[in-house]
């Protein structure tokens, strides 16, 4: 196996579980990998603000990708160095589609969440991630620029059915992926974790065979398949586990730490 020089890591259900706790073993392993010269690239569906606690605890990223790869941010000054936003008309159509299916949907302007009406999901989601939100009842009548993604929430039991229905209704240049049970992520096909990771490997001059990626859900699948060594945690989506090069222990068992200890340190 070629040496790993760039390691891309998802956050939710990969580095941390439902308790939002980042294990000490994981922190130490990631920092040790950095000290060995490995570039650490956090690549998350979260926004820049909501991923900050994880970035600060690890303290190792020079860059991070947010909103599923829609933006890449330089940590030293917070500048967005790469961005691929949704077209305004696609934002409106994605929201309309979700509403037509009776689903909750929200869009993002930076780390501000914008929605048509509050719901129980909104309260839990924004409070847990420390995000501000704004209710705009006339949301469908407005035009929104620089939107990295639309997030739709489906009851987990109906997630697969709703993903299929949304895919049928939306144009082919939009992706419809999942990041957590019930979380359906809609974005432009140019804004993917694979695209962000490819761009990052080019910036560092690190070939694909020296890149590893770890994730858990379909939002991570393209970067897992592109990387020289693509891994899925044991608690991950079965479809992703099937197509990954390797399945590592679950996030509850600090699988990322175990992977680093075995293949990098």
């Amino acid at each position: 196996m070629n040496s790993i020089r760039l390691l891309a890591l998802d956050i939710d259900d990969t580095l941390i579980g439902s308790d939002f706790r980042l294990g000490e073993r994981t922190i130490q392993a990631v920092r040790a990998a950095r000290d060995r010269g490995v570039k650490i690239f956090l690549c998350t569906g979260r926004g820049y603000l909501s991923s900050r606690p994880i970035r600060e605890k690890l303290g190792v990223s020079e860059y991070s990708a947010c909103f599923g790869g829609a933006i890449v941010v330089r940590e030293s000054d917070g500048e967005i160095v790469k961005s691929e936003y949704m077209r305004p008309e696609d934002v409106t159509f994605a929201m309309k589609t979700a509403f037509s299916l009776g689903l909750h949907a929200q869009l993002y302007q930076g780390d501000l969440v914008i929605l048509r009406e509050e719901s129980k999901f909104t309260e839990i989601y924004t409070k847990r991630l420390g995000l501000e939100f704004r209710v705009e009842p006339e949301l469908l009548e407005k035009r929104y620029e620089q939107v990295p993604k639309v997030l739709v929430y489906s009851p987990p039991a109906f997630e697969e059915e709703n993903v299929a229905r949304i895919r049928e209704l939306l144009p082919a240049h939009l992706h419809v992926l999942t990041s957590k049970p019930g979380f359906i992520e809609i974005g432009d096909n140019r804004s993917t974790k694979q695209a962000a990771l490819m761009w990052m490997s080019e910036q560092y001059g690190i070939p694909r065979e020296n890149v590893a990626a770890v994730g858990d859900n379909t939002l991570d699948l393209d970067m897992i398949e592109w990387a020289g060594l693509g891994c899925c945690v044991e608690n991950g989506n079965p479809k992703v586990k099937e197509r990954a090069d390797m399945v590592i222990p679950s996030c509850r068992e600090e699988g990322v730490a175990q992977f680093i200890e075995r293949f990098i340190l």
Side-chain angles (χ1 to χ4, degrees), residues 17-20 46 122-131:
S18 57
D19 61 359
F20 280 30
R46 293 188 181 204
T122 307
E123 181 182 355
I124 295 171
Y125 177 88
T126 56
K127 184 178 293 184
R128 191 156 198 187
L129 294 178
L131 297 176

Side-chain angles (χ1 to χ4, degrees), residues 193-224:
K193 291 192 176 188
Q194 176 186 317
L197 182 54
M198 289 174 65
W199 184 86
M200 202 71 262
S201 71
E202 290 173 3
Q203 301 306 302
Y204 285 129
I206 296 174
R208 179 178 180 177
E209 57 266 28
N210 298 120
V211 178
V214 187
D216 73 288
N217 220 313
T218 60
L219 191 63
D220 309 309
L221 182 56
D222 64 349
M223 78 167 182
I224 287 173

